Each structure stands twice: as structure tokens, then as C-alpha cells.
């Protein structure tokens, strides 16, 4: 086991997830020396106005981390840091549960317990509440999640949306809104856009939405609704979030590139952990995702680089295959996507190993190794056999530091208060083809407490070996992750994420 040496004042670890990193031992020593610093200024709390620009062969959108900012006292909206983070992790666990059910439903041939459904906007509200996957929520703000957002042009206006690789459809909140979560930008107003039009029930896009979401019903839910009427939708998830509205099309603007007739959901009843955003950008593998609809412009290729969360930097979402616009510091390495006609919108790859501090983790769980690479899940969740092996190896290498009680979904925690030197073992994922991807050291530990008395390994265990592991965004920071849907491969490279 390789170790480096550097001094760090653990008492000064005052800000969660803001770290300056030095690789010990000349790079590849298997350990990171971590020092946390107070950020120079807090994140802006006003409206998002994220930039975009066009480059040769690519369109580049600025990405910004979207989550609750903390005051200097460590509180947010009257809640302590621990309460706020606990709420975020509870929401993340619910999302993981929702994804598991959707994967299981897709693997079972569609229908069943999909966790999402398409239905008529006019259907009985009581029936909707009883429908599979529909869980009412009281406050979207209470369930804010640590996600990433970008700003796009829609029908002459702007919308700031959460970037989500597990969503089939892009949707925004629309006026007049019957029940909507608070957002910082004005609601999209269909009446102000001359290019806006609602899609009818007998349209191919309406049929595609039903296929994508596993609905077994006829157009717009069937019944006595005429085929020429509006294509209505209901998207519901087990984490309590949902969007209801009509399927429509309008002009989408991405850094000057205009996509005419872009199909999206115009939601007039929406609730969930979306914070102050306008909705979701669907980047999943489906006919109605942004990637599929812009195939002619961008060739089915997109990539992102997710910045450190509570920092001043912002990352980028690049549409197109021009690798010259990247700022990667290591060569791009590609692993194959798992080919599965029932995979739904998800991006699967095979995880064949994990190393901790340069030591290969031994687990029989790598034999069933299909995992999801997801931008919307926070913490990487592993099947129990793999997680327990990783945990044991990490505890062995981190044995000199006292353990602390677990926190929410994180059960491997330490008390680092009072330590002046903290040595963090490196974490690498190994994907099919012997593709090694090192996690940025800021993605190895999660600082729960402001005094460093509760610092946790930023990985979680799933409930069952039959579930599907998920690589979350917390472990994807400062990586260029490339999704090549036509080439059926995902690439990784180290990159300091800043708007390019």
C-alpha cells in the first residue's frame, strides 16, 4: 500500500465538499492528501443565467451545481447542515429506489411496476393518487437535491433545467400553472410563443412517449377521448416527484443552434425536489430525449464535466463529438455500453473491479457487474457484496482514524476533529476493457459536520444483490464523461471542470 505525507489541519475543515487536492508521491501513490479551505464567496443565490456558446462541431452549455447554499452559520432556511444534508440523502435514496423499480420493470418486458406512467390529464385525481409510483409530497424545496443545471432557450424565453441522464423527456413548468414548485425564472408561457403547438393524441411523439414510459393504454389513455385531442402525460416517480401536462413542440435554442419542433412536456402540475429550476432536461436513451431529437445536429454524442459542488467553478455540457473543445488532462478511455433492448433510458456499463489505495477489492459481486452511470443520483450505490468488500478495505487502510456514527445512507464514518494530518486512500472504478477511472479525491469522503467530527465514506449499499449499482454524480466530479450513443460507448478522462 502506497502512502504519501502532507499536513492538514482537520479542525479547519469548515466547508462541506470544498477541497484543495494534492496528489502525494508523484502521482499514482494511491493516497490523496486533503485540505479543506473556506470558499472566497458564497454561491450566488439569485436567478441562474448560465452561459452557452458554439464551437467548431460542438455546442457548449455552462453547468452549475444546484443545491441549497449554507450561510456562514452552517444553516439553510432555518435548518442545520445535518438536517439539510439528511433531507438531501433521503431524497437521493428515494431516487435510487425509483430507478431500481424502473430497471426491474424494463427487464421484465415493460409495463408492470414501472414507477412512471402516461395517462390522461382529465383522469380522476383519486385514481392518479393510487397509481403505481405516485407519492404525494408537501414541499419540493424540502427535498432539494444536489444536482446540476443548464440554461436553454425555449420559444423565445429561457429555462434553467436539471440535467438528467435517466429521464426520457424534457419538461418545463408552464403557465397557467395549477400546482407548481417555486422557480426562479418566469414560467414558460405558451401564449407568448407563436411557434408553440400542442401535439395530438394520434401523433407519433405521443405514441413514443407511451412506449418510453411503459404505458399499456391507448393514445392518451384511451377512453372516449378523441384521437385529435391533446396528448396529455403524467410522469410520476417513487421519490415523490411528478409532472403532469401536455406534450407540445416549440423552438429550442442551444448556444445559437435552433431545433425547430422540439418535443417537450409543458407541465401545469409539478412537484418534487427541483428547487428553483424550471424542470428537467431529458438526456436518457429514448426517442424523445434531447439527444435523440438532436441526432442530426450532434450525432448522438454528448459529454459533461461536473464541477466541485460548493465552489466558484462551473462545468460544461458539450453536445457533439468535437473532442478538441475538452480540457482533459488524461487520454479518454472508453468502455462499451451494455446492449439491452429493454434498458429503458439508462446508460449501462460493466463494472469489473474497484481499487482502494491501489489495492484491488475482492468480491464475487463483480460477476453481476452491470451498473448505471447517472447524472441525477448523488451518491454511488453498490450491491451489498461489493460495498462490504470496499468498506472493509477502506477501514483497513483508514484504521488510524477513530470511527463515528453513520449518517443517513452513509454508514462508514470517522471523527477527524483534532487531526493535523489526514491521508485519504485513492478510489478507482474499473470498467470492462480494463478501463480505470480514478475518482477525484473530493468524491471519496463526504463532510457531514462543520467541525470534522463526522466525515463519511461517500458510498452507499443497496438493499439486495438483485438490484443494480449506480455511479452517482458525487463520484463523477472533475471528470469528462462522454456518452456516445451511436458508438455505444462511454468515455472518461480527468478534467478540471470549468466552463470552456
Amino acid at each position: 500500500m502506497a502512502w504519501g505525507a502532507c499536513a492538514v489541519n482537520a479542525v479547519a475543515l469548515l466547508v462541506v465538499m470544498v477541497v484543495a487536492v494534492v496528489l502525494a508521491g508523484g502521482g499514482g501513490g494511491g493516497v490523496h492528501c486533503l485540505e479543506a479551505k473556506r470558499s472566497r464567496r458564497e454561491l450566488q443565490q439569485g436567478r441562474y443565467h448560465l452561459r452557452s456558446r458554439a464551437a467548431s462541431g460542438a455546442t457548449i452549455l455552462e453547468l452549475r451545481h444546484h443545491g441549497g447554499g449554507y450561510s456562514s452559520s452552517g444553516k439553510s432556511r432555518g435548518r442545520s447542515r445535518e438536517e439539510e444534508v439528511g433531507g438531501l440523502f433521503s431524497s437521493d435514496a428515494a431516487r435510487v429506489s425509483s430507478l431500481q423499480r424502473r430497471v426491474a420493470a424494463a427487464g421484465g418486458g415493460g409495463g408492470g411496476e414501472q414507477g412512471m406512467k402516461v395517462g390522461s390529464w382529465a383522469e380522476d385525481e383519486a385514481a392518479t393518487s393510487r397509481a403505481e409510483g405516485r407519492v404525494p409530497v408537501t414541499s419540493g424545496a424540502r427535498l432539494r437535491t444536489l444536482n446540476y443545471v443548464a440554461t436553454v432557450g425555449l420559444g423565445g424565453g429561457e429555462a434553467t433545467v436539471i440535467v438528467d441522464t435517466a429521464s426520457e423527456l424534457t419538461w418545463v413548468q408552464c403557465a397557467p400553472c395549477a400546482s407548481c414548485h417555486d422557480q426562479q425564472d418566469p414560467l414558460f408561457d405558451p401564449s407568448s410563443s407563436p411557434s408553440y403547438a400542442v401535439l395530438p393524441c394520434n401523433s407519433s411523439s405521443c405514441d413514443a412517449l407511451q412506449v418510453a414510459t411503459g404505458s399499456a393504454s391507448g393514445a392518451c389513455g384511451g377512453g372516449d377521448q378523441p384521437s385529435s385531442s391533446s396528448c396529455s402525460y403524467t410522469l410520476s416517480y417513487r421519490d415523490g416527484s411528478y409532472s403532469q401536462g401536455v406534450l407540445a413542440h416549440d423552438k429550442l435554442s442551444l448556444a445559437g443552434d435552433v431545433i425547430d419542433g422540439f418535443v417537450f412536456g409543458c407541465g401545469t402540475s409539478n412537484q418534487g425536489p427541483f428547487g428553483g429550476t424550471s424542470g428537467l432536461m431529458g438526456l436518457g436513451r429514448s426517442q424523445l430525449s434531447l439527444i435523440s431529437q438532436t441526432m442530426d445536429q450532434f450525432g448522438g454524442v454528448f459529454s459533461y464535466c461536473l464541477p466541485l459542488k460548493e465552489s466558484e467553478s462551473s462545468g460544461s455540457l458539450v453536445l457533439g463529438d468535437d473532442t478538441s473543445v475538452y480540457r482533459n488532462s488524461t487520454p479518454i478511455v472508453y468502455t462499451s455500453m451494455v446492449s439491452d433492448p429493454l434498458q429503458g433510458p439508462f446508460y449501462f456499463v460493466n463494472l469489473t473491479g474497484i481499487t482502494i489505495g491501489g489495492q484491488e477489492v475482492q468480491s464475487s459481486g463483480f460477476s453481476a457487474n452491470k451498473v448505471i452511470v447517472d447524472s441525477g443520483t448523488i451518491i454511488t450505490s453498490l450491491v451489498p457484496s461489493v460495498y462490504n468488500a470496499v468498506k472493509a478495505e477502506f477501514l483497513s487502510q483508514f484504521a488510524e482514524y477513530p470511527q463515528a456514527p453513520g449518517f443517513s445512507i452513509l454508514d462508514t464514518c470517522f471523527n477527524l476533529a483534532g487531526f493535523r494530518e489526514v491521508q485519504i486512500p485513492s478510489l478507482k472504478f474499473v470498467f470492462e476493457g480494463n478501463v480505470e477511472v480514478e475518482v477525484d479525491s473530493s468524491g471519496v469522503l463526504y463532510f457531514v459536520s462543520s467541525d470534522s467530527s463526522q466525515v463519511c465514506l461517500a458510498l452507499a449499499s443497496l438493499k439486495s444483490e438483485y438490484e443494480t449499482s449506480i455511479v452517482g454524480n458525487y463520484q463523477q466530479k472533475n471528470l469528462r464523461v462522454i456518452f456516445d450513443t451511436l458508438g455505444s460507448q462511454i468515455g472518461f478522462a480527468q478534467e478540471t471542470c470549468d466552463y470552456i
Side-chain angles (χ1 to χ4, degrees), residues 93-107 113-114 238 346 372 381-383 462-464 466-470:
R95 177 186 173 90
V96 169
S97 177
S98 175
L99 294 184
Q100 298 300 330
R101 291 181 180 274
R102 292 168 64 192
V103 170
E113 278 195 328
Q114 180 68 11
R238 285 186 174 271
F346 308 113
I372 299 172
S381 298
L382 303 171
V383 293
L462 294 169
K463 297 178 181 179
S464 166
Y466 299 102
E467 295 184 304
T468 302
S469 296
I470 302 171

Side-chain angles (χ1 to χ4, degrees), residues 120-132:
S120 168
W121 175 250
E123 68 185 334
D124 183 73
E125 178 62 25
T128 302
S129 297
R130 291 192 300 268
E132 183 65 37

Side-chain angles (χ1 to χ4, degrees), residues 115-117 121 125 128-129 133-138 171 173 178-181 233-245 267-274 279-280:
M116 304 181 65
K117 71 184 201 70
W121 175 250
E125 178 62 25
T128 302
S129 297
R134 176 71 180 271
V135 181
V137 295
T138 57
W171 62 265
Q173 299 196 121
S179 174
C180 284
H181 64 267
Y233 74 90
T234 297
L235 300 178
S236 331
Y237 307 85
R238 285 186 174 271
D239 64 357
S241 57
Y242 63 87
S243 175
Q244 295 176 323
T268 52
S269 180
N270 320 281
Q271 290 297 329
F274 308 118
L280 290 180

Side-chain angles (χ1 to χ4, degrees), residues 43-246:
L43 286 175
Q44 294 181 348
Q45 299 300 310
R47 288 170 55 185
Y48 296 97
H49 291 286
L50 303 184
R51 301 164 290 174
S52 63
R53 68 179 180 87
S56 58
T59 293
I60 304 170
L61 306 182
E62 181 185 10
L63 290 184
R64 172 73 70 174
H65 172 250
H66 176 59
Y70 297 99
S71 67
S72 58
S73 64
K75 294 185 178 181
S76 174
R77 299 191 179 186
R79 307 174 73 198
S80 69
R81 188 199 315 273
E82 289 78 6
E83 290 173 331
E84 187 74 14
V85 173
L88 297 174
F89 282 167
S90 294
S91 177
D92 199 46
R95 177 186 173 90
V96 169
S97 177
S98 175
L99 294 184
Q100 298 300 330
R101 291 181 180 274
R102 292 168 64 192
V103 170
E113 278 195 328
Q114 180 68 11
M116 304 181 65
K117 71 184 201 70
V118 178
S120 168
W121 175 250
E123 68 185 334
D124 183 73
E125 178 62 25
T128 302
S129 297
R130 291 192 300 268
E132 183 65 37
R134 176 71 180 271
V135 181
V137 295
T138 57
S139 171
R142 183 177 63 86
L143 295 174
R144 284 174 298 158
T145 191
L146 298 172
N147 276 313
Y148 293 85
V149 297
T151 298
V152 300
L154 185 63
E158 284 190 342
T160 298
V161 287
I162 295 173
V163 174
D164 191 355
T165 56
S167 287
E168 296 96 333
L169 179 71
T170 297
W171 62 265
V172 298
Q173 299 196 121
C174 289
C177 204
S179 174
C180 284
H181 64 267
D182 292 335
Q183 68 175 59
Q184 293 174 338
D185 292 323
L187 291 172
F188 175 75
D189 187 356
S191 65
S192 67
S193 175
S195 52
Y196 172 89
V198 174
L199 292 170
C201 287
N202 59 1
S203 65
S204 59
S205 294
C206 193
D207 292 340
L209 180 63
Q210 294 180 29
V211 171
T213 54
S215 172
S217 60
C220 293
D224 57 2
Q225 193 172 28
S227 62
S228 60
S229 62
S230 301
C231 177
S232 303
Y233 74 90
T234 297
L235 300 178
S236 331
Y237 307 85
R238 285 186 174 271
D239 64 357
S241 57
Y242 63 87
S243 175
Q244 295 176 323
V246 294

Side-chain angles (χ1 to χ4, degrees), residues 439-452:
V439 173
D440 188 273
S441 57
S442 66
V444 178
L445 295 177
Y446 194 103
F447 294 84
V448 175
S449 63
S450 59
D451 62 358
S452 306

Side-chain angles (χ1 to χ4, degrees), residues 1 3 13 31-32 34 356 390-404 412-416 419 421-426 444-445 447 455-457:
M1 179 186 338
W3 293 92
L13 301 178
V31 61
H32 301 300
L34 224 70
I356 300 293
V390 170
K391 174 181 177 179
E393 181 62 37
F394 193 89
L395 285 172
S396 173
Q397 297 188 27
F398 216 57
E400 65 182 285
Y401 305 105
Q403 295 188 40
T412 306
C413 302
F414 306 89
N415 183 352
L416 302 183
F419 282 88
E421 183 176 282
V422 178
Q423 297 177 317
I424 312 298
S426 62
V444 178
L445 295 177
F447 294 84
V455 180
C456 304
L457 177 64

